[in-house]
Every structure is written in C-alpha cells, then in structure tokens.
Amino acid sequence: MRTNVHDLLAGQALARPDAPALSYKNVTSSYDQTWGAARAAAAQLQTLGLDRGERGAIYLEKRFETVAAMFATSAADGVFVPINHVLKPPQVGHILVDSGATFLVTSADRLGQLTAILPGSSV
C-alpha cells in the first residue's frame, strides 16, 4: 500500500485529533485542525485546476499556512516544491522554472516582491 505525505497527517488526525500538531509562540493547532486546514486548501487547489502530479511551489515564511499548503498539495495529488523563504526573487524564479511548478502558494507581500520575475504578473 502506498502512503503519501498527507496520509501521515490524516492518520494522526484520526488517532489523536486533539493532540498538538503545530505550535508557534502561544498558538497551537491540533492534528484535527491542521488536517482540516489542509483538506480545505486541497479542495481549493483542485478547484483552481491542480492536476495529479503537477508541482505547486510554496514560498512562505515558517507559519501554519506553510505546513497546511504542503499537506494540501499532497492531498490534491500534487507535488509540493518548498522554496526557502529567505531566497531573493531571482533565486525563486529559477526554482519556479527549474521545478516546472504550475502553481505558487505565497503571501500578498511575497507575491509583490516577485512581480519582476513572474511572466505576465500584474500585482
């Protein structure tokens, strides 16, 4: 039986739904909450047209949404491409092209930094 990355989170959400999965400062997200966020984001990615095996790049700083986006991409049958949040726009552009990513999950601030390197972007 094949196990995908998101299956690990889904399994913990079933086995230990209220156990802490993520913590940052004084905020904690349970396995159930984290899996719920990942499932919701996966549905959005599929609605936007992410197809099986397509790569989705994730360019966010370390936060709950970053983790949810990674599990969501897996749950939507995509392949996530994590991009280090400290990289400069030209480096991010290289990774986007080299990886063949068809989707980019990022914040409005980061997207604004990428307008010069994203083809056809107007943010």
Side-chain angles (χ1 to χ4, degrees):
M1 181 167 111
R2 187 178 94 182
T3 300
N4 293 309
V5 171
H6 69 275
D7 294 326
L8 300 172
L9 178 59
Q12 288 301 306
L14 284 173
R16 307 172 347 138
D18 297 324
L22 304 170
S23 293
Y24 180 71
K25 295 188 180 180
N26 62 346
V27 179
T28 298
S29 178
S30 70
Y31 281 106
D32 190 54
Q33 291 169 320
T34 304
W35 178 229
R39 283 193 339 259
Q44 290 177 332
L45 288 171
Q46 289 173 324
T47 298
L48 291 170
L50 180 68
D51 289 326
R52 181 179 172 89
E54 278 189 305
R55 289 171 177 81
I58 301 166
Y59 181 51
L60 292 167
E61 54 279 336
K62 295 176 184 179
R63 58 194 215 185
F64 292 128
E65 294 86 354
T66 307
V67 176
M70 290 178 180
F71 285 110
T73 304
S74 175
D77 287 329
V79 177
F80 65 88
V81 178
I83 300 177
N84 191 318
H85 69 281
V86 300
L87 295 179
K88 304 295 183 212
Q91 296 168 305
V92 173
H94 174 78
I95 292 169
L96 291 172
V97 170
D98 193 53
S99 70
T102 57
F103 279 81
L104 174 63
V105 178
T106 193
S107 65
D109 289 342
R110 289 189 179 278
L111 184 60
Q113 297 169 15
L114 299 177
T115 55
I117 59 103
L118 293 175
S121 69
S122 57
V123 178

mmCIF file of all heavy atoms in Angstrom, residues 35-60:
data_model
loop_
_atom_site.group_PDB
_atom_site.id
_atom_site.type_symbol
_atom_site.label_atom_id
_atom_site.label_comp_id
_atom_site.label_asym_id
_atom_site.label_seq_id
_atom_site.Cartn_x
_atom_site.Cartn_y
_atom_site.Cartn_z
ATOM 1 N N TRP A 35 -5.249 19.143 9.841
ATOM 2 C CA TRP A 35 -5.758 18.327 8.746
ATOM 3 C C TRP A 35 -6.961 19.008 8.094
ATOM 4 O O TRP A 35 -7.115 18.995 6.872
ATOM 5 C CB TRP A 35 -6.083 16.926 9.225
ATOM 6 C CG TRP A 35 -6.661 16.011 8.187
ATOM 7 C CD1 TRP A 35 -7.775 15.246 8.318
ATOM 8 C CD2 TRP A 35 -6.157 15.740 6.874
ATOM 9 N NE1 TRP A 35 -7.997 14.521 7.167
ATOM 10 C CE2 TRP A 35 -7.013 14.807 6.260
ATOM 11 C CE3 TRP A 35 -5.065 16.200 6.150
ATOM 12 C CZ2 TRP A 35 -6.829 14.335 4.965
ATOM 13 C CZ3 TRP A 35 -4.868 15.721 4.858
ATOM 14 C CH2 TRP A 35 -5.741 14.798 4.283
ATOM 15 N N GLY A 36 -7.809 19.635 8.886
ATOM 16 C CA GLY A 36 -8.954 20.367 8.337
ATOM 17 C C GLY A 36 -8.503 21.507 7.424
ATOM 18 O O GLY A 36 -9.065 21.709 6.344
ATOM 19 N N ALA A 37 -7.490 22.246 7.849
ATOM 20 C CA ALA A 37 -6.957 23.333 7.028
ATOM 21 C C ALA A 37 -6.338 22.793 5.744
ATOM 22 O O ALA A 37 -6.520 23.364 4.659
ATOM 23 C CB ALA A 37 -5.922 24.128 7.819
ATOM 24 N N ALA A 38 -5.629 21.675 5.850
ATOM 25 C CA ALA A 38 -5.011 21.075 4.668
ATOM 26 C C ALA A 38 -6.067 20.563 3.685
ATOM 27 O O ALA A 38 -5.943 20.755 2.476
ATOM 28 C CB ALA A 38 -4.075 19.937 5.075
ATOM 29 N N ARG A 39 -7.119 19.923 4.198
ATOM 30 C CA ARG A 39 -8.195 19.431 3.323
ATOM 31 C C ARG A 39 -8.900 20.578 2.612
ATOM 32 O O ARG A 39 -9.198 20.495 1.419
ATOM 33 C CB ARG A 39 -9.204 18.607 4.127
ATOM 34 C CG ARG A 39 -8.738 17.218 4.447
ATOM 35 C CD ARG A 39 -9.855 16.281 4.967
ATOM 36 N NE ARG A 39 -11.010 16.949 5.508
ATOM 37 C CZ ARG A 39 -11.274 17.132 6.809
ATOM 38 N NH1 ARG A 39 -10.416 16.706 7.711
ATOM 39 N NH2 ARG A 39 -12.366 17.729 7.206
ATOM 40 N N ALA A 40 -9.164 21.661 3.330
ATOM 41 C CA ALA A 40 -9.824 22.823 2.723
ATOM 42 C C ALA A 40 -8.945 23.435 1.625
ATOM 43 O O ALA A 40 -9.432 23.766 0.537
ATOM 44 C CB ALA A 40 -10.151 23.861 3.790
ATOM 45 N N ALA A 41 -7.659 23.563 1.909
ATOM 46 C CA ALA A 41 -6.743 24.114 0.907
ATOM 47 C C ALA A 41 -6.593 23.170 -0.283
ATOM 48 O O ALA A 41 -6.495 23.619 -1.432
ATOM 49 C CB ALA A 41 -5.382 24.399 1.544
ATOM 50 N N ALA A 42 -6.614 21.862 -0.046
ATOM 51 C CA ALA A 42 -6.534 20.886 -1.141
ATOM 52 C C ALA A 42 -7.736 21.033 -2.068
ATOM 53 O O ALA A 42 -7.597 20.988 -3.298
ATOM 54 C CB ALA A 42 -6.457 19.462 -0.592
ATOM 55 N N ALA A 43 -8.906 21.225 -1.488
ATOM 56 C CA ALA A 43 -10.118 21.413 -2.304
ATOM 57 C C ALA A 43 -9.984 22.672 -3.155
ATOM 58 O O ALA A 43 -10.364 22.681 -4.333
ATOM 59 C CB ALA A 43 -11.344 21.491 -1.405
ATOM 60 N N GLN A 44 -9.416 23.732 -2.590
ATOM 61 C CA GLN A 44 -9.214 24.965 -3.358
ATOM 62 C C GLN A 44 -8.222 24.746 -4.494
ATOM 63 O O GLN A 44 -8.434 25.228 -5.615
ATOM 64 C CB GLN A 44 -8.723 26.089 -2.449
ATOM 65 C CG GLN A 44 -9.769 26.587 -1.492
ATOM 66 C CD GLN A 44 -9.232 27.648 -0.559
ATOM 67 O OE1 GLN A 44 -8.033 27.684 -0.244
ATOM 68 N NE2 GLN A 44 -10.113 28.519 -0.093
ATOM 69 N N LEU A 45 -7.142 24.032 -4.226
ATOM 70 C CA LEU A 45 -6.160 23.759 -5.280
ATOM 71 C C LEU A 45 -6.784 22.961 -6.416
ATOM 72 O O LEU A 45 -6.532 23.234 -7.593
ATOM 73 C CB LEU A 45 -4.957 23.002 -4.702
ATOM 74 C CG LEU A 45 -4.025 23.805 -3.802
ATOM 75 C CD1 LEU A 45 -3.006 22.896 -3.135
ATOM 76 C CD2 LEU A 45 -3.326 24.909 -4.598
ATOM 77 N N GLN A 46 -7.614 21.989 -6.074
ATOM 78 C CA GLN A 46 -8.278 21.194 -7.111
ATOM 79 C C GLN A 46 -9.266 22.043 -7.893
ATOM 80 O O GLN A 46 -9.367 21.917 -9.114
ATOM 81 C CB GLN A 46 -8.948 19.973 -6.500
ATOM 82 C CG GLN A 46 -7.938 18.944 -6.039
ATOM 83 C CD GLN A 46 -8.550 17.794 -5.279
ATOM 84 O OE1 GLN A 46 -9.507 17.963 -4.521
ATOM 85 N NE2 GLN A 46 -7.983 16.605 -5.461
ATOM 86 N N THR A 47 -9.979 22.923 -7.202
ATOM 87 C CA THR A 47 -10.913 23.827 -7.878
ATOM 88 C C THR A 47 -10.174 24.748 -8.846
ATOM 89 O O THR A 47 -10.670 25.048 -9.935
ATOM 90 C CB THR A 47 -11.698 24.667 -6.844
ATOM 91 O OG1 THR A 47 -12.468 23.782 -6.036
ATOM 92 C CG2 THR A 47 -12.611 25.670 -7.517
ATOM 93 N N LEU A 48 -8.977 25.165 -8.459
ATOM 94 C CA LEU A 48 -8.174 26.027 -9.320
ATOM 95 C C LEU A 48 -7.529 25.271 -10.481
ATOM 96 O O LEU A 48 -6.972 25.891 -11.380
ATOM 97 C CB LEU A 48 -7.086 26.728 -8.494
ATOM 98 C CG LEU A 48 -7.594 27.778 -7.511
ATOM 99 C CD1 LEU A 48 -6.471 28.223 -6.577
ATOM 100 C CD2 LEU A 48 -8.168 28.971 -8.267
ATOM 101 N N GLY A 49 -7.591 23.943 -10.450
ATOM 102 C CA GLY A 49 -7.108 23.156 -11.574
ATOM 103 C C GLY A 49 -5.821 22.394 -11.372
ATOM 104 O O GLY A 49 -5.226 21.925 -12.345
ATOM 105 N N LEU A 50 -5.364 22.237 -10.138
ATOM 106 C CA LEU A 50 -4.164 21.436 -9.907
ATOM 107 C C LEU A 50 -4.454 19.990 -10.292
ATOM 108 O O LEU A 50 -5.390 19.387 -9.776
ATOM 109 C CB LEU A 50 -3.735 21.500 -8.435
ATOM 110 C CG LEU A 50 -2.487 20.691 -8.070
ATOM 111 C CD1 LEU A 50 -1.250 21.301 -8.719
ATOM 112 C CD2 LEU A 50 -2.301 20.643 -6.564
ATOM 113 N N ASP A 51 -3.686 19.464 -11.214
ATOM 114 C CA ASP A 51 -3.868 18.096 -11.682
ATOM 115 C C ASP A 51 -2.876 17.160 -11.005
ATOM 116 O O ASP A 51 -1.823 17.583 -10.513
ATOM 117 C CB ASP A 51 -3.670 18.013 -13.198
ATOM 118 C CG ASP A 51 -4.801 18.661 -13.971
ATOM 119 O OD1 ASP A 51 -5.961 18.601 -13.507
ATOM 120 O OD2 ASP A 51 -4.524 19.241 -15.036
ATOM 121 N N ARG A 52 -3.196 15.892 -11.043
ATOM 122 C CA ARG A 52 -2.345 14.857 -10.444
ATOM 123 C C ARG A 52 -0.910 14.974 -10.972
ATOM 124 O O ARG A 52 -0.674 15.043 -12.177
ATOM 125 C CB ARG A 52 -2.916 13.483 -10.771
ATOM 126 C CG ARG A 52 -2.128 12.348 -10.184
ATOM 127 C CD ARG A 52 -2.770 11.006 -10.535
ATOM 128 N NE ARG A 52 -1.927 9.926 -10.137
ATOM 129 C CZ ARG A 52 -1.959 9.353 -8.929
ATOM 130 N NH1 ARG A 52 -2.822 9.758 -8.037
ATOM 131 N NH2 ARG A 52 -1.129 8.382 -8.641
ATOM 132 N N GLY A 53 0.020 15.010 -10.050
ATOM 133 C CA GLY A 53 1.432 15.053 -10.404
ATOM 134 C C GLY A 53 1.981 16.430 -10.704
ATOM 135 O O GLY A 53 3.190 16.589 -10.851
ATOM 136 N N GLU A 54 1.119 17.444 -10.800
ATOM 137 C CA GLU A 54 1.609 18.803 -11.052
ATOM 138 C C GLU A 54 2.323 19.336 -9.819
ATOM 139 O O GLU A 54 1.993 18.980 -8.694
ATOM 140 C CB GLU A 54 0.463 19.751 -11.406
ATOM 141 C CG GLU A 54 0.038 19.676 -12.846
ATOM 142 C CD GLU A 54 -0.943 20.777 -13.188
ATOM 143 O OE1 GLU A 54 -1.977 20.895 -12.507
ATOM 144 O OE2 GLU A 54 -0.658 21.519 -14.151
ATOM 145 N N ARG A 55 3.275 20.198 -10.075
ATOM 146 C CA ARG A 55 4.056 20.768 -8.979
ATOM 147 C C ARG A 55 3.474 22.111 -8.544
ATOM 148 O O ARG A 55 3.173 22.954 -9.377
ATOM 149 C CB ARG A 55 5.506 20.935 -9.406
ATOM 150 C CG ARG A 55 6.217 19.604 -9.530
ATOM 151 C CD ARG A 55 7.591 19.764 -10.162
ATOM 152 N NE ARG A 55 8.276 18.504 -10.213
ATOM 153 C CZ ARG A 55 8.076 17.574 -11.148
ATOM 154 N NH1 ARG A 55 7.186 17.769 -12.095
ATOM 155 N NH2 ARG A 55 8.763 16.448 -11.123
ATOM 156 N N GLY A 56 3.373 22.249 -7.238
ATOM 157 C CA GLY A 56 2.939 23.510 -6.649
ATOM 158 C C GLY A 56 4.028 24.016 -5.725
ATOM 159 O O GLY A 56 4.406 23.348 -4.766
ATOM 160 N N ALA A 57 4.542 25.201 -6.032
ATOM 161 C CA ALA A 57 5.600 25.784 -5.217
ATOM 162 C C ALA A 57 4.991 26.504 -4.014
ATOM 163 O O ALA A 57 3.923 27.114 -4.124
ATOM 164 C CB ALA A 57 6.432 26.755 -6.049
ATOM 165 N N ILE A 58 5.681 26.429 -2.897
ATOM 166 C CA ILE A 58 5.225 27.076 -1.670
ATOM 167 C C ILE A 58 6.335 28.001 -1.199
ATOM 168 O O ILE A 58 7.419 27.555 -0.829
ATOM 169 C CB ILE A 58 4.868 26.032 -0.598
ATOM 170 C CG1 ILE A 58 3.763 25.120 -1.135
ATOM 171 C CG2 ILE A 58 4.436 26.719 0.694
ATOM 172 C CD1 ILE A 58 3.544 23.864 -0.356
ATOM 173 N N TYR A 59 6.045 29.298 -1.263
ATOM 174 C CA TYR A 59 7.019 30.332 -0.911
ATOM 175 C C TYR A 59 6.434 31.182 0.212
ATOM 176 O O TYR A 59 5.842 32.234 -0.011
ATOM 177 C CB TYR A 59 7.344 31.169 -2.147
ATOM 178 C CG TYR A 59 8.362 32.266 -1.948
ATOM 179 C CD1 TYR A 59 9.586 32.018 -1.355
ATOM 180 C CD2 TYR A 59 8.098 33.554 -2.390
ATOM 181 C CE1 TYR A 59 10.529 33.027 -1.192
ATOM 182 C CE2 TYR A 59 9.030 34.575 -2.244
ATOM 183 C CZ TYR A 59 10.237 34.307 -1.643
ATOM 184 O OH TYR A 59 11.161 35.314 -1.483
ATOM 185 N N LEU A 60 6.536 30.674 1.411
ATOM 186 C CA LEU A 60 6.026 31.338 2.601
ATOM 187 C C LEU A 60 7.055 31.230 3.717
ATOM 188 O O LEU A 60 7.849 30.286 3.738
ATOM 189 C CB LEU A 60 4.732 30.664 3.087
ATOM 190 C CG LEU A 60 3.493 30.800 2.219
ATOM 191 C CD1 LEU A 60 2.410 29.833 2.681
ATOM 192 C CD2 LEU A 60 2.978 32.231 2.254
#
